[in-house]
């Protein structure tokens, strides 16, 4: 069964870059709805006791789009909240920084490429820093799609590109939202933990 995790920070902690009002809808309404719908879909079935990631992967393997969309969105949003931090921005350090230097040309180049990919992504989806077969890459996925169902891909940190993530604070100006995430909210500590756990 999926559950709605509490936000790992106070709802107003990311202001002015992400408002408590945005989070009240995004976490309290959107994320909650994905959790509820995924749970309805697996209730009393063989996946009821499976892990969240198993549900996501099984739904994709079975071509169950309805379950996949809600289960993947439930998991992606849990990952998103940890990708945000009131003390975010700054820069990574240690082995993660070394890997970004090696594979992506440094932290500034990472930010430029991430912004280009995130802003250029058409429609709803997600932008991710992933490890793909041992190499760091920036990828975007459409709608609910997630690195969990791509072979060899391990997500390190993500940004939600659906308009519900930024419309109240930035209206349609996705570039400003991406800039604010890169400068003030990206949780490098979370990315480093995921990198170290690979
Ligand atoms: Mn979202």
């Amino acid at each position: 069964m999926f559950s709605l995790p509490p936000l790992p920070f106070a709802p107003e902690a990311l202001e002015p870059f992400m408002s408590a009002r945005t989070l009240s809808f995004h976490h309290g309404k959107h994320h909650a709805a994905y959790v509820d719908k995924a749970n309805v879909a697996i209730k009393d079935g063989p996946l009821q006791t499976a892990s969240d990631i198993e549900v996501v992967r099984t739904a994709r393997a079975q071509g169950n789009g309805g379950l996949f969309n809600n289960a993947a969105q439930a998991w992606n949003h849990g990952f998103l909240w940890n990708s945000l931090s009131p003390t975010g921005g700054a820069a990574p350090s240690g082995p993660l920084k070394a890997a970004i230097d090696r594979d992506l040309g440094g932290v500034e180049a990472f930010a430029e490429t991430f912004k280009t990919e995130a802003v250029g992504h058409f429609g709803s989806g997600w932008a991710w820093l992933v490890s793909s077969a041992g190499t760091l890459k920036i990828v975007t996925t459409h709608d609910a799609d997630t690195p969990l169902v791509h072979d060899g891909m391990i997500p390190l940190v993500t940004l939600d590109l659906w308009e519900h993530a930024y419309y109240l604070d930035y209206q349609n100006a996705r570039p400003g939202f991406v800039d604010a995430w890169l400068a003030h909210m990206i949780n490098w500590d979370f990315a480093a933990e995921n990198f170290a756990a690979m």
Side-chain angles (χ1 to χ4, degrees), residues 26 77 160 164:
H26 198 180
H77 282 84
D160 189 339
H164 66 221

Side-chain angles (χ1 to χ4, degrees), residues 141-164:
T141 57
H142 283 282
D143 300 324
D145 193 20
T146 175
L148 295 179
V149 295
H150 294 268
D151 275 348
M153 211 177 269
I154 298 167
L156 302 181
V157 71
T158 195
L159 184 62
D160 189 339
L161 303 179
W162 289 56
E163 277 193 347
H164 66 221

